[in-house]
Amino acid sequence: MMAASSFLPLHLPASPRPATVAARAASGVASTVPAATQTSQLEETFGRKGLRFGTDATGAPTAELSVRNGSSLQLRLNDGLVTSYRPKVSWEGGDGCRELLHTVAGAGAVKGGVGLVLNEASSSSSGGASLLGASEWSVADVDSDSYDAVQVELGCSAKGAKLEVSYVVTLYPLSMATAVIVKNNGAKPVELTGAVLSHIKFDKRRGTAVEGLRGCPYCSHPPPASGFALLTPAEAMKREESGWFGGGGEEPRQGAWTVEENLYTILKKKVSRVYAAPPEERKKRIYSTAPSKFTTIDQSSGLGFRLVRMGFEDMYLSSPGGLYEKFGNDYFLCTGPASILVPVVVGPGKEWRGAQVIEHDNL
């Protein structure tokens, strides 16, 4: 297995962006252009082997990425939501391309999948104001390496063009990577919080766990609010009554810290946690950070996937408990790298980068 650092995107945009790329970005997705016209323009400008453009059930433009071993993913271009990731795997009972993400479509909206949350922490709004809510993503660039890697870069501006945001999604035979790059073009520092949240589905509630968090401090904490999350922050934090799947001890109250003592973190009950170094610890010259990766365990299928954190300081992890039934028959986790507890400060003329990799060796 290749080192996690080798899964960084093929191409990360330089600053400033070349004029030729900026011109192509201007001709990307525009809300006033009919979907069929958008698809045709995107296909003509960016289409290549392993990359095709179309629309989803809601009519939103999409990019379809695929590589030689059959692995594929679908990316919505107007909001950057990855709605499908089907890696080539072998599991108990078969082998082939199997859907990893839990996505729910209905009433013209799509929720779940893998999405980016980016908020301005210095805003007076509770939890910070979203920097992406009113932004229109455009296709800035694409890249590929034969049949073994395909990449799409989306771009948008926020705060009156003072912030330039790039979101790079890359598909490899054994992994997918999502990277965010924020460039501050303004004259003042900007404080950001954010996360890359993935809704990963499991065959059964019993037997859902993760490995790799033992020894890490954690506290109960709501997820950052987003338009794509299946559970709202209030739903994620609501206590679940003990029942058949209860047990395992009470969750600590919000703000109280404890340490993960188990080799396997069992997630059949409802939890909403941030695994990280407590903010007070980070004031010390030397402190222990959260693990850079952990592995999901699906006992029913025998499959496991590693989630790798880059750039972000925290790891968010939640399970829905009995609430999963609101969203279909599959159990799921919402998890991913985050910077929630302590904002990231991006100085004038500086940039910040964070990424998540989902990788596996289920072959």
Side-chain angles (χ1 to χ4, degrees), residues 153-171:
E153 177 195 332
L154 303 180
C156 73
S157 297
K159 288 180 65 66
K162 292 181 181 179
L163 287 182
E164 180 182 338
V165 183
S166 297
Y167 189 52
V168 186
V169 178
T170 312
L171 175 67

Side-chain angles (χ1 to χ4, degrees), residues 230-268:
L230 291 176
L231 294 181
T232 66
E235 288 175 326
M237 291 297 291
K238 185 177 180 181
R239 296 271 178 166
E240 186 174 40
E241 295 183 5
S242 297
W244 184 261
F245 286 94
E250 286 292 323
E251 280 293 287
R253 60 180 175 81
Q254 186 173 348
W257 287 86
T258 187
V259 174
E260 180 63 69
E261 299 178 346
N262 300 306
L263 176 62
Y264 301 105
T265 305
I266 307 300
L267 294 165
K268 62 185 179 183

Side-chain angles (χ1 to χ4, degrees), residues 62-183:
T62 62
E64 308 276 351
L65 287 67
S66 60
V67 290
R68 180 162 39 185
N69 75 343
S71 298
S72 64
L73 69 78
Q74 183 181 79
L75 170 68
R76 281 168 53 101
L77 301 178
N78 57 348
D79 55 12
L81 187 67
V82 178
T83 56
S84 175
Y85 172 43
R86 295 176 56 84
K88 174 68 180 299
V89 295
S90 297
W91 68 94
E92 296 181 7
D95 65 89
C97 295
R98 180 179 170 117
E99 183 61 62
L100 178 65
L101 304 181
H102 192 43
T103 307
V104 177
V110 178
K111 293 190 175 185
V114 179
L116 172 66
V117 184
L118 196 63
N119 297 327
E120 182 183 7
S122 54
S123 169
S124 59
S125 302
S126 177
S130 174
L131 293 170
L132 305 177
S135 300
E136 182 77 13
W137 291 102
S138 62
V139 179
D141 202 4
V142 302
D143 202 355
S144 63
D145 176 15
S146 183
Y147 292 98
D148 292 324
V150 184
Q151 178 184 93
V152 174
E153 177 195 332
L154 303 180
C156 73
S157 297
K159 288 180 65 66
K162 292 181 181 179
L163 287 182
E164 180 182 338
V165 183
S166 297
Y167 189 52
V168 186
V169 178
T170 312
L171 175 67
Y172 298 93
L174 299 179
S175 70
M176 65 161 286
T178 48
V180 57
I181 306 100
V182 181
K183 172 69 183 297

Side-chain angles (χ1 to χ4, degrees), residues 176-202:
M176 65 161 286
T178 48
V180 57
I181 306 100
V182 181
K183 172 69 183 297
N184 183 3
N185 296 320
K188 297 181 180 180
V190 177
E191 295 185 354
L192 306 175
T193 60
V196 177
L197 297 180
S198 302
H199 295 78
I200 298 177
K201 71 177 182 177
F202 294 75

